[in-house]
Amino acid sequence: MASVVHIMERYEAGSGLKKALSMARTEVIRTVRESGIRGRGGAGFPTAVKWNLCAAAQSPKKFIVCNADEGEPGTFKDRLLLTERPEALLDGITIGGYAIGARLGVIYLRAEYAYMRPGLEAALAARRTNKLLGKKVLGKDFEFDIEIRMGAGAYVCGEETALIESLEGSRGEPRNRPPYPVNTGLVGVPTAVNNVETLIACAHILVKGPEWFRKFGTDVSTGSKLLSVSGDCKRPGVYEVGFGISIKDLLKLVEGEDAKAVQVGGASGRTVPAKQFGRKLGFEDLATGGSIIVIGKDRDMLDVAENFLDFFVEESCGQCTPCREGNPKLLEGVHLLKQGRCSINYLRELQNLGRTMQAASKCGLGQSSANAFLDITEHFRSEILGRVPATKE
Amino acid sequence: MLATERESLRHEVAELAEKYEHKRDGMMPILEAIQEKYRCVSDFAMQEIARQLGVFPTEVYGVASFYSFLSTEPRGKFAIRLCRTLSCDFAGKKEVARQLENELEIKFGETTPDGLFSLEYCNCLGMCDHGPALLVNNDVYTEVSPELVSEILDKYRRMFGPASQLEEKEAHHG
Amino acid sequence: MPEKRAISPKPQASSEKPSHVAPGGTAPTSEKPMTISAGKPGDIGGLVSVKIDDIDIKVPFGTTILEAAKTVGIRIPTLCYHEDLCLAGVCRICVVEVAKQRTLQTACTFPITEPIIVSTTSQRVRQARRHVLDLLLSKHYGECYSCFRNNNCELQSLAKEYGVDFFRFGHPDKPRYDIDRSSYSVVRDMNKCVLCRRCVRTCIDLQSVGVLTAAHRSDKTKIETFLDRNLADVICINCGQCINRCPTGALRAKDPTDEIWAGIDDPNKHVVIQTAPSPRAAVGEAFDLPPGTSVTQEMNTALRRCGFDRVFDTNTTADLTIIEEGTELLTRLYKGLVKKEEAFLPQFTSCSPGWVKFIEHFYPEWLPHVSSCKSPQQMFGALIKSYYAQKQNINPADIVSVSLMPCSAKKFEANRPEMRSSGYKDVDYGLTTRETAQMIKEAGIDLPHMPKSHFDLPFGDASGAGLIFGATGGVMEAALRTVVEVVTGLKAEQVFAEANVIPVRGFEGIRYMEIKVPQTGPMSDLFKHLVKRGKLGKDWSWLKGATLKVAVAHGTANARKVMEDIKAGGQFAGCHFIEFMACPGGCLGGGGQPIPTSPSIRAARAKAIYSEDMGLPIRKSHENPHVIKLYEEFLTDGPCGEVSHKYLHTHYTPRGDYLV
């Protein structure tokens, strides 16, 4: 399998928007539904369903939010999209706003990407001049504008309700769900939060039609996916592939075939050992927001686990018990394993704890922070047990 | 804080709050603007923000203490953030970290005594294919090596203090 | 106070926030009561079917799983959930299985909007509960033996209930944080905190004071004050509502029992205790009596057996307060209505020290409106070390004056520098209901089975009007019973059935009432000094036909609403007299009362207070013979005279709300 150029295709500003505004809102949503597109940020919620719920909610005020808080370790595809394809994104946000009945779109841009802001603001200013934003977009009876709000260094704000909390001026602590943002979102009104890639894909779908999108991918995971590949491979970078590609084939593409493991989906994803490289990327099996980290033969899997758990210990919002207290415990367990001082019983306890964290945490962060630990302690037993450290304890 | 400093801060916060109609959703932009200018959000600033947005000072403190890019203690004029995520780790961030500590003579989490640099880790800068990556305020540097570290730091040092200081240092260390 | 339903099944339109929110604080939206849009067709009359553990029931749309389970007697453990507070959903101990949901859901927050199947006992659920407890215990530093919540701690109870028999993830052997003992009233020990956020929700949302917040992130998250300053250095009003709702011993009141025992053990000291109305209806809870069991006279005996030399009834000075404050109100009305001078109406009550500190901080420019009367506690303190000491020939320096209050702020009040009218510290120690129960138990006394006894003279037993001070609206009702009789010449029973002023009763957050003055009666001799000085007319005719407008607010969030309304010139600006209580429910919900607290517990305590009032021989403050005697013997120039101003009135400190 090779890489494709699909949503990374060049995009003419306003092309998708023009098409969308010539349709009824319901038609726009239907077009997106027929494409089968699911959220590209990692969660994979069907975009058309989200837009539909939002459109159906009764409220004079609504918002569409572009989640540009790309914080998942190993993900840099939005970085590329924001710098190279801003017009497609801005069209996508406007199309989404039209579909759900919003008058304002917000781009939540992570603080680490502040250097992109001037470019985006310039693009917005140009749009306002060219009537792609404003009181009568493209001369139609549709008012829409887009505002940029910055994040401030919190991975958890990539979670949609934490993002909304941050926009409202609070700590980025995820909310109880239900109710969901499509009903009760930003300042309590219906809000659709979508990933950068999703919105760009939708813009293309409006231009070229849903069938075009279905050219790649599988029946369940339609379309292409941008992958950001890094780590121990000869050709790291952003790749666009059709869903359904196997890890083996991907590694061939990026020249990282002698990997020991691949981390699919970032720190909150799955650690796939070499013997499972036949598995395919997609919502059927290995879902990912795009992050692919290739782990070479000489890497210590406990270092990998430690790195990820360090990350979660720092980024957990701290609200709920399983995540706040559980992640440090798992990290402590990794330290014990590194020192060669972890009993099988205690390891089992930690694995059970990991499963509780997956089941009982309040948001996706806590629910997936134990994934890597569980995968590594399951697939790399021989490597992690019974170590004798070189230095004195 | 001097009375005059308080007055000007009060004006600034009031102007910012006006821009956001004194609504709570202006909290983050206001905090970011204050952090940018003063390298921290001081107790007085938090109190003023609370006043202007109709919330309690403790709530502003709760928000300011939550986010990594906001601080209640002054950060350096140039905040250095080194990515510590896995790919940058694989690419050699540990060595870069070591060299940064050597050059700045501080440890991670600290600020240089002259207030010029603060050093901390951060999580995934989105430059995983060109690691190790680091941010200095809003400037991104990729494929940073220990050798490049002093070059990068010098660039910022040159923006502050007379060039003679730098030359003196070079002469001293030969 | 209005019950906050977990979910209100109304479609929510746009945000209700005004463009400038009055400094009333806002709970993070995630913790506000949630709303959801209207249900789907097919819901039978707004009822939804749900199966919980094989039991089929129908519940109103939007009911949470927790509420639904309660209706069929299924117990789901909770920790961060509290009836008085908005939802949090952070402890995760109430998680249950909901069919078709990948993850467990919190029963306290999950609204039932469509038919679901719930299981409260699966392996995952049991394991999750144990893990939550094991994780909390891995950070919780403090031996139960040496904790004041031993045997009354939610973490302890849950650990027992879920069979914690070893510390799966360890247990700390040293504290992480220093204990904050800076405040006179509240002590904070964050080593015991389980981060349930109840105190934050109480302080910001319920009380609108905003002292506490969750600060930092992840496992460094800690409940802190502004920049983690000492409690004494931030704007804490000492109401102690946070203590009442804390599930563990992280928050407690400052305990003076050691000093009091020392006083009792010292043969040279004369230790007297005055007791407020609310503790009597609540102290029994610490002895396993149901809430609302009044044990007034048993408590008198118990206290004497502990070693207190005298047990006095604070209701007596409550009666005194009514006369002083009622008179003050009448002089202000005269000043405003007749002399047409600035009279600082509406007059605000001043007996709640939490409320007093609240207004000193947040609305200091309105302090002239606060009655200059001290609280009954402080009036009593001043009288004990002057009038009583003289009468009994005791050196005031040898008197240890203790006051049993449902209140934590009284500890601060007793330490106010101006509270030394007797020449000595008027009240030495404020003692809470909880601490009293502790002392009684320490002395091996079985309170419920004590013989009954009356209060000591010269202050004796007081009127029912003094007693009802303990409930929100009680001060207002007591004042009205007296003012109505004094002004109209009628009996209170002729104006209000059985002298019960029902409109000012209840738990509605803010209550308003208008009373028309139908007729006026003769001037009482009690006021002759004031008439002579021109502070009152020679009769009450100037009030004939007037409409007295009064209001009652309890909980400082409601107090703030009233103050904002007054500032804006609204309805309450036209009131003449407003009763403010810092604590929800009034004093019976005070920060020193037995833990736990809930709307039903407070309602039971109120019921006890009002029914005790009905059974008392005297029900109006001005009919209290001991008070009448006090005016004859000591306060000889009458209410609001010079003598009473010296001992019974006070001034306030404009503090402002600047922390920096």
Side-chain angles (χ1 to χ4, degrees):
Chain A
M1 268 212 195
S3 67
V4 304
V5 178
H6 205 209
I7 70 160
M8 275 306 287
E9 278 180 29
R10 298 218 160 272
Y11 184 87
E12 189 195 320
S15 50
L17 182 55
K18 202 152 118 194
K19 266 278 185 58
L21 292 182
S22 70
M23 304 176 189
R25 296 165 195 262
T26 45
E27 241 190 285
V28 173
I29 297 178
R30 192 162 29 90
T31 309
V32 173
R33 181 181 300 124
E34 281 169 17
S35 74
I37 184 172
R38 294 167 66 155
R40 292 303 196 244
F45 192 81
T47 309
V49 176
K50 189 179 273 189
W51 283 6
N52 198 28
L53 285 169
C54 210
Q58 308 274 27
S59 170
K61 204 170 178 189
K62 293 184 195 174
F63 294 104
I64 182 159
V65 176
C66 168
N67 186 345
D69 191 62
E70 179 175 64
E72 188 65 62
T75 320
F76 47 93
K77 47 111 184 154
D78 288 344
R79 180 202 86 205
L80 192 74
L81 292 172
L82 285 161
T83 41
E84 313 246 321
R85 297 283 181 268
E87 295 303 334
L89 173 63
L90 298 175
D91 254 32
I93 298 174
T94 317
I95 291 167
Y98 175 66
I100 67 173
R103 283 200 306 278
L104 184 65
V106 180
I107 300 178
Y108 187 80
L109 185 64
R110 62 189 304 231
E112 294 87 336
Y113 287 175
Y115 58 87
M116 295 179 197
R117 190 174 184 177
L120 288 167
E121 294 282 14
L124 288 175
R127 286 199 153 227
R128 287 182 197 115
T129 313
N130 299 331
K131 297 266 187 283
L132 290 168
L133 288 172
K135 288 228 180 291
K136 278 186 163 315
V137 175
L138 288 178
K140 304 280 170 118
D141 183 23
F142 171 51
E143 182 187 343
F144 195 75
D145 201 349
I146 299 176
E147 207 180 299
I148 300 179
R149 289 286 175 101
M150 302 301 295
Y155 162 80
V156 70
C157 288
E159 199 277 334
E160 64 177 3
T161 57
L163 195 162
I164 290 173
E165 283 290 304
S166 182
L167 283 174
E168 288 186 2
S170 299
R171 294 161 64 82
E173 293 175 339
R175 298 175 172 179
N176 295 307
R177 278 148 295 140
Y180 294 94
V182 289
N183 277 318
T184 312
L186 184 55
V187 297
V189 310
T191 307
V193 181
N194 291 111
N195 177 262
V196 169
E197 190 184 340
T198 313
L199 291 164
I200 289 180
C202 288
H204 280 287
I205 289 168
L206 260 297
V207 176
K208 297 179 210 135
E211 282 316 307
W212 163 87
F213 190 70
R214 299 187 86 109
K215 224 166 64 174
F216 297 106
T218 69
D219 280 335
V220 171
S221 315
T222 58
S224 63
K225 180 79 188 80
L226 286 179
L227 300 175
S228 41
V229 184
S230 63
D232 297 323
C233 60
K234 292 211 186 65
R235 304 180 57 217
V238 178
Y239 290 82
E240 188 171 2
V241 298
F243 264 132
I245 188 173
S246 71
I247 301 210
K248 192 153 129 239
D249 287 338
L250 178 64
L251 287 174
K252 221 180 283 180
L253 208 56
V254 306
E255 291 183 40
E257 285 120 305
D258 57 354
K260 172 156 71 166
V262 171
Q263 185 72 18
V264 177
S268 60
R270 313 262 30 158
T271 317
V272 184
K275 62 182 190 275
Q276 290 183 5
F277 281 175
R279 285 166 78 177
K280 302 197 165 83
L281 296 181
F283 299 107
E284 301 96 315
D285 183 11
L286 289 171
T288 171
S291 168
I292 304 276
I293 304 179
V294 185
I295 301 170
K297 272 203 320 290
D298 300 321
R299 299 292 178 188
D300 181 352
M301 292 314 284
L302 283 182
D303 281 343
V304 174
E306 186 180 14
N307 186 286
F308 289 154
L309 283 168
D310 262 329
F311 173 77
F312 285 119
V313 165
E314 168 147 356
E315 296 293 343
S316 164
C317 77
Q319 253 195 116
C320 77
T321 316
C323 176
R324 178 186 71 240
E325 310 292 355
N327 278 309
K329 281 295 159 198
L330 295 184
L331 179 60
E332 204 179 85
V334 170
H335 289 151
L336 284 175
L337 284 164
K338 278 182 136 187
Q339 289 155 26
R341 284 293 179 213
C342 188
S343 73
I344 285 284
N345 270 341
Y346 191 61
L347 180 59
R348 233 177 256 138
E349 294 283 14
L350 290 175
Q351 287 174 312
N352 279 339
L353 175 62
R355 282 185 270 276
T356 291
M357 287 162 66
Q358 288 177 323
S361 295
K362 189 165 175 176
C363 82
L365 191 159
Q367 287 158 14
S368 56
S369 57
N371 288 354
F373 178 82
L374 289 171
D375 285 342
I376 290 172
T377 52
E378 185 187 328
H379 298 300
F380 296 92
R381 296 286 273 205
S382 50
E383 195 185 317
I384 64 172
L385 288 172
R387 291 196 179 190
V388 182
T391 52
K392 251 200 150 108
E393 285 164 57
Chain B
M1 207 188 265
L2 294 175
T4 44
E5 287 172 336
R6 286 188 179 208
E7 253 330 284
S8 67
L9 188 51
R10 192 176 275 137
H11 274 297
E12 274 182 86
V13 173
E15 258 175 42
L16 286 164
E18 190 63 44
K19 205 166 124 195
Y20 294 97
E21 295 170 11
H22 298 274
K23 290 196 188 141
R24 187 170 176 154
D25 65 81
M27 173 88 75
M28 294 295 284
I30 296 174
L31 284 170
E32 279 149 15
I34 301 291
Q35 175 80 29
E36 165 109 30
K37 179 163 180 191
Y38 297 98
R39 313 313 295 151
C40 75
V41 189
S42 63
D43 51 4
F44 188 76
M46 284 193 276
Q47 186 179 257
E48 276 310 301
I49 294 172
R51 217 165 274 283
Q52 293 290 336
L53 298 183
V55 298
F56 292 114
T58 19
E59 291 179 274
V60 181
Y61 171 61
V63 174
S65 62
F66 182 86
Y67 295 95
S68 310
F69 277 53
L70 298 173
S71 60
T72 53
E73 292 293 309
R75 293 249 173 86
K77 185 89 194 137
F78 302 109
I80 302 172
R81 294 187 168 94
L82 177 66
C83 178
R84 60 154 175 203
T85 313
L86 196 65
S87 306
C88 284
D89 199 45
F90 283 179
K93 82 125 202 310
K94 283 198 186 75
E95 288 78 13
V96 174
R98 194 81 176 201
Q99 195 59 25
L100 278 164
E101 285 184 328
N102 294 344
E103 295 291 329
L104 295 171
E105 292 170 14
I106 54 171
K107 293 256 172 296
F108 274 84
E110 295 175 358
T111 305
T112 53
D114 58 5
L116 213 53
F117 295 105
S118 61
L119 187 59
E120 52 196 283
Y121 284 114
C122 70
N123 288 312
C124 197
L125 290 172
M127 288 293 179
C128 324
D129 52 346
H130 308 295
L134 64 80
L135 265 184
V136 183
N137 287 357
N138 285 343
D139 302 328
V140 189
Y141 296 91
T142 56
E143 292 173 15
V144 180
S145 62
E147 303 92 67
L148 274 173
V149 165
S150 76
E151 253 185 65
I152 294 171
L153 293 177
D154 276 349
K155 176 173 153 195
Y156 295 97
R157 285 195 184 107
R158 260 183 262 275
M159 297 183 193
F160 263 78
S164 56
Q165 263 184 16
L166 207 55
E167 288 167 291
E168 215 184 307
K169 207 171 174 195
E170 280 169 356
H172 190 77
H173 291 283
Chain C
M1 63 174 283
E3 206 79 22
K4 246 193 194 140
R5 271 209 72 204
I7 310 284
S8 70
K10 289 193 318 279
Q12 184 174 51
S14 47
S15 164
E16 296 154 337
K17 256 196 274 216
S19 60
H20 182 103
V21 179
T26 45
T29 313
S30 64
E31 295 173 354
K32 283 199 182 47
M34 297 181 289
T35 60
I36 34 193
S37 39
K40 301 196 291 288
D43 293 338
I44 304 164
L47 291 177
V48 186
S49 311
V50 57
K51 191 200 269 285
I52 306 183
D53 291 347
D54 292 331
I55 303 174
D56 286 298
I57 49 171
K58 289 203 188 354
V59 293
F61 179 91
T63 309
T64 60
I65 296 178
L66 183 67
E67 290 167 349
K70 274 196 197 134
T71 64
V72 286
I74 295 176
R75 172 173 156 69
I76 298 177
T78 58
L79 188 56
C80 68
Y81 173 79
H82 194 286
E83 269 181 275
D84 291 330
L85 305 172
C86 55
L87 299 176
V90 296
C91 69
R92 315 306 286 179
I93 203 163
C94 70
V95 288
V96 293
E97 297 271 12
V98 177
K100 289 195 252 158
Q101 296 274 353
R102 180 181 55 94
T103 55
L104 299 173
Q105 303 297 321
T106 43
C108 67
T109 65
F110 196 94
I112 298 171
T113 57
E114 56 175 7
I116 53 170
I117 300 172
V118 178
S119 164
T120 69
T121 65
S122 70
Q123 190 270 338
R124 278 206 311 179
V125 167
R126 281 200 311 279
Q127 181 167 279
R129 289 181 188 172
R130 271 303 300 272
H131 278 154
V132 167
L133 290 170
D134 290 329
L135 289 171
L136 290 174
L137 290 169
S138 78
K139 284 282 189 56
H140 184 80
Y141 172 77
E143 295 297 325
C144 293
Y145 309 115
S146 57
C147 178
F148 92 109
R149 294 290 293 267
N150 191 8
N151 263 358
N152 184 16
C153 167
E154 290 185 50
L155 183 63
Q156 225 183 17
S157 308
L158 286 169
K160 179 153 171 123
E161 200 175 327
Y162 291 98
V164 172
D165 54 0
F166 79 113
F167 295 118
R168 180 172 278 120
F169 300 117
H171 191 64
D173 59 357
K174 54 180 189 290
R176 286 203 292 175
Y177 308 114
D178 287 333
I179 299 176
D180 178 359
R181 289 184 230 267
S182 61
S183 157
Y184 282 114
S185 299
V186 180
V187 176
R188 297 180 64 235
D189 180 358
M190 291 297 100
N191 298 298
K192 296 181 182 168
C193 176
V194 292
L195 290 165
C196 67
R197 313 283 181 103
R198 280 187 188 172
C199 56
V200 177
R201 289 133 73 199
T202 300
C203 197
I204 291 184
D205 230 24
L206 187 67
Q207 288 294 83
S208 183
V209 178
V211 181
L212 299 170
T213 183
H216 315 297
R217 194 170 75 198
S218 184
D219 59 340
K220 295 193 190 56
T221 308
K222 185 161 148 269
I223 308 297
E224 292 183 3
T225 59
F226 185 71
L227 287 165
D228 206 18
R229 292 188 179 164
N230 276 337
L231 209 51
D233 298 331
V234 294
I235 297 165
C236 170
I237 63 172
N238 306 306
C239 67
Q241 293 305 294
C242 54
I243 303 175
N244 284 1
R245 289 169 183 77
C246 180
T248 66
L251 290 165
R252 59 176 303 178
K254 206 83 157 306
D255 187 339
T257 50
D258 283 344
E259 290 90 317
I260 298 175
W261 281 127
I264 288 175
D265 293 336
D266 185 344
N268 297 320
K269 295 287 181 193
H270 184 73
V271 188
V272 308
I273 184 166
Q274 49 161 312
T275 77
S278 302
R280 308 167 197 180
V283 70
E285 290 165 40
F287 293 87
D288 295 326
L289 296 174
T293 314
S294 191
V295 286
T296 311
Q297 302 199 313
E298 291 88 335
M299 192 172 74
N300 290 347
T301 312
L303 290 169
R304 284 195 198 93
R305 290 197 190 185
C306 277
F308 287 97
D309 295 303
R310 294 285 182 277
V311 180
F312 294 135
D313 187 354
T314 310
N315 299 352
T316 307
T317 41
D319 286 334
L320 188 60
T321 304
I322 289 298
I323 298 185
E324 290 290 324
E325 195 161 342
T327 306
E328 185 185 6
L329 176 64
L330 291 166
T331 57
R332 286 198 198 190
L333 285 168
Y334 186 71
K335 198 168 179 197
L337 298 173
V338 175
K339 295 211 251 177
K340 305 270 193 256
E341 289 167 21
E342 170 66 75
F344 300 108
L345 291 168
Q347 177 172 307
F348 304 152
T349 56
S350 57
C351 45
S352 166
W355 152 247
V356 167
K357 193 156 194 278
F358 183 86
I359 191 178
E360 283 178 334
H361 280 297
F362 294 111
Y363 300 98
E365 65 278 13
W366 294 85
L367 281 172
H369 287 253
V370 180
S371 160
S372 58
C373 291
K374 288 182 182 177
S375 66
Q377 162 180 295
Q378 294 301 136
M379 284 196 184
F380 221 142
L383 289 175
I384 286 170
K385 292 192 184 181
S386 56
Y387 170 70
Y388 170 75
Q390 288 160 25
K391 218 168 144 91
Q392 304 290 306
N393 224 341
I394 303 175
N395 183 353
D398 294 330
I399 297 179
V400 177
S401 178
V402 180
S403 102
L404 164 55
M405 294 284 148
C407 177
S408 47
K410 291 286 181 195
K411 294 174 196 278
F412 177 87
E413 191 186 37
N415 282 290
R416 281 185 169 248
E418 62 270 19
M419 296 298 183
R420 303 183 72 95
S421 323
S422 62
Y424 302 84
K425 189 174 172 194
D426 291 340
V427 175
D428 291 297
Y429 304 108
L431 187 66
T432 65
T433 314
R434 298 187 294 259
E435 289 152 5
T436 305
Q438 190 54 49
M439 287 183 79
I440 293 173
K441 285 185 184 173
E442 260 185 77
I445 296 168
D446 180 12
L447 174 67
H449 298 113
M450 283 293 108
K452 300 186 186 205
S453 57
H454 289 271
F455 289 98
D456 287 317
L457 294 169
F459 301 105
D461 299 322
S463 78
L467 176 67
I468 59 177
F469 264 52
T472 166
V475 177
M476 182 58 70
E477 181 165 344
L480 287 173
R481 287 182 193 174
T482 290
V483 168
V484 152
E485 285 201 3
V486 159
V487 169
T488 65
L490 293 166
K491 285 269 149 227
E493 287 80 350
Q494 290 170 274
V495 184
F496 312 109
E498 295 183 294
N500 292 338
V501 188
I502 302 295
V504 298
R505 295 189 184 189
F507 291 97
E508 193 63 40
I510 303 170
R511 308 186 287 285
Y512 174 82
M513 184 183 176
E514 292 184 3
I515 303 120
K516 239 184 145 59
V517 180
Q519 63 180 72
T520 57
M523 173 62 69
S524 158
D525 218 28
L526 191 60
F527 305 112
K528 61 177 188 270
H529 297 272
L530 291 167
V531 176
K532 205 151 75 168
R533 286 161 54 201
K535 302 276 188 197
L536 281 175
K538 54 178 170 46
D539 58 29
W540 301 110
S541 56
W542 50 278
L543 277 173
K544 179 140 184 215
T547 305
L548 195 60
K549 297 177 182 162
V550 300
V552 174
H554 62 128
T556 37
N558 291 315
R560 192 184 284 283
K561 284 195 192 124
V562 172
M563 289 308 298
E564 290 297 319
D565 180 273
I566 292 175
K567 272 171 79 169
Q571 175 190 41
F572 297 101
C575 282
H576 301 108
F577 189 39
I578 305 182
E579 177 203 294
F580 286 101
M581 290 293 151
C583 299
C587 307
L588 52 81
Q593 290 283 67
I595 295 166
T597 182
S598 74
S600 57
I601 290 175
R602 295 193 292 275
R605 292 175 189 163
K607 193 152 170 249
I609 287 174
Y610 284 117
S611 55
E612 196 176 325
D613 161 46
M614 286 301 287
L616 287 177
I618 301 175
R619 299 183 62 226
K620 296 153 204 169
S621 301
H622 55 284
E623 292 177 1
N624 182 334
H626 309 286
V627 170
I628 295 172
K629 192 148 171 233
L630 195 59
Y631 279 107
E632 287 166 7
E633 287 186 6
F634 190 64
L635 306 165
T636 45
D637 55 353
C640 298
E642 251 185 72
V643 184
S644 62
H645 262 286
K646 176 175 176 194
Y647 292 103
L648 310 178
H649 289 249
T650 183
H651 59 272
Y652 304 105
T653 312
R655 298 177 200 262
D657 61 349
Y658 273 87
L659 287 163
V660 182

